[in-house]
Amino acid sequence: HGSHITILCNVSGYQGPSEQNFQWSVYFPSAPTREVQIISTSDPAFPYAIYGQRVRDKEIYIERLTGDSVRLHITNLQKTEEGEYECHTPNTDVQYHGSYSAKMNLTVIPDTLRVTAVPQTLSKIEGDSVELKCDVSKTTTEHTHLSVSWYIQKGSQKMEV
């Protein structure tokens, strides 16, 4: 909830142009057979009204990685956006060889992540070792992945350690 998520989609086995178009839709649990159009690489009028403003504000956008690979970005993810997401690329082949689409389920869980670190001021000589401590916890029972990184900040510059 409130996070920035990405969903990768690529197409292969096609005979059309090297740059393919992509369309993203969602099927909500309350109406699992009703397609709600989100965004398209080729049609600015594709999004349904509930997504139009967020697409215009770039809160939802498509990042093109290659001609046949894109990533859907959804910023400030909400619980109401939980559902089955479909990536579809319109057929560009002379002959129809099947449907170029894939679906995946998105479950939105509350953000229960807690990070605590004891404030420390350290004076060390170059070459000395240093130990930094940080506690990270979550209270969800959902299966999640967690990554922790340390950064060093000098003035306005921040670098990952």
Side-chain angles (χ1 to χ4, degrees), residues 117 120 131-135 148-152 159-161:
Q120 324 175 51
E131 183 177 329
L132 303 173
K133 292 186 180 183
C134 175
D135 290 321
V148 177
S149 298
W150 285 96
Y151 291 85
I152 187 167
M159 298 179 337
E160 189 169 2
V161 178

Side-chain angles (χ1 to χ4, degrees), residues 47-104:
Y48 281 9
I50 64 168
Y51 285 108
Q53 191 62 48
R54 291 190 66 203
V55 169
R56 284 189 296 279
D57 292 345
K58 305 277 191 259
E59 291 178 15
I60 298 175
Y61 60 95
I62 294 175
E63 173 190 11
R64 183 173 291 281
L65 304 172
T66 63
D68 53 16
S69 181
V70 297
R71 191 178 286 139
L72 173 68
H73 290 255
I74 302 175
T75 63
N76 192 24
L77 185 69
Q78 301 300 311
K79 179 72 174 167
T80 55
E81 291 171 306
E82 189 167 89
E84 185 178 44
Y85 283 73
E86 179 178 33
C87 173
H88 172 76
T89 184
N91 183 42
T92 55
D93 296 347
V94 175
Q95 292 182 314
Y96 184 73
H97 295 287
S99 176
Y100 298 121
S101 73
K103 292 182 177 181
M104 59 82 61

